[in-house]
Amino acid sequence: MTLKGMVNGTRHMLGRYVGKWFYDKGIPFDAANSPYFPPIVNAIQSAGPEVKPPTAYELSGPILDEEVEEVRNWIEEYKQSWPRTGITLMSDGWLNKVSIKEFHNFLA
């Protein structure tokens, strides 16, 4: 088998595993267009087989806490420009009780 054939075969298997995860969890296919999707694949490839994926606890606890802190820091940085630009950040959210989904709007 050629190198190109091996790469295509590996990519196909990657697609199958990613697809199974998307299908099992009902992840919208559009999530593959997220700018965060290619970096996660690259990070997994770089980490190698000995690195275990994060647990549900880690994702819902310490990792989520870090992401929240990052957003808070970004907002604080952004607030520094408000006196110069006259712009403020507002948010609004609601729950769609039919499909049990939360919606959030952020306005500047």
Side-chain angles (χ1 to χ4, degrees):
M1 179 179 275
T2 67
L3 179 59
K4 184 177 179 181
M6 287 181 4
V7 168
N8 286 340
T10 302
R11 184 171 185 279
H12 178 76
M13 285 308 301
L14 172 64
R16 294 286 308 273
Y17 283 111
V18 170
K20 287 176 190 288
W21 179 55
F22 271 60
Y23 313 142
D24 179 58
K25 292 301 169 191
I27 300 169
F29 301 131
D30 174 336
N33 295 326
S34 166
Y36 299 105
F37 188 64
I40 192 174
V41 173
N42 291 337
I44 291 167
Q45 291 169 332
S46 296
E50 64 280 349
V51 176
K52 301 290 183 207
T55 64
Y57 165 76
E58 291 167 323
L59 289 169
S60 65
I63 293 171
L64 178 59
D65 293 342
E66 287 179 38
E67 291 300 313
V68 168
E69 186 61 28
E70 183 176 310
V71 170
R72 282 191 179 130
N73 290 338
W74 177 81
I75 290 171
E76 286 305 315
E77 242 180 75
Y78 191 69
K79 283 181 181 179
Q80 303 302 316
S81 71
W82 292 355
R84 291 189 319 272
T85 62
I87 294 176
T88 189
L89 183 65
M90 298 182 291
S91 67
D92 181 29
W94 65 95
L95 178 66
N96 179 338
K97 294 183 181 179
V98 175
S99 61
I100 317 289
K101 291 187 179 179
E102 291 184 41
F103 295 92
H104 298 275
N105 286 325
F106 294 93
L107 308 161

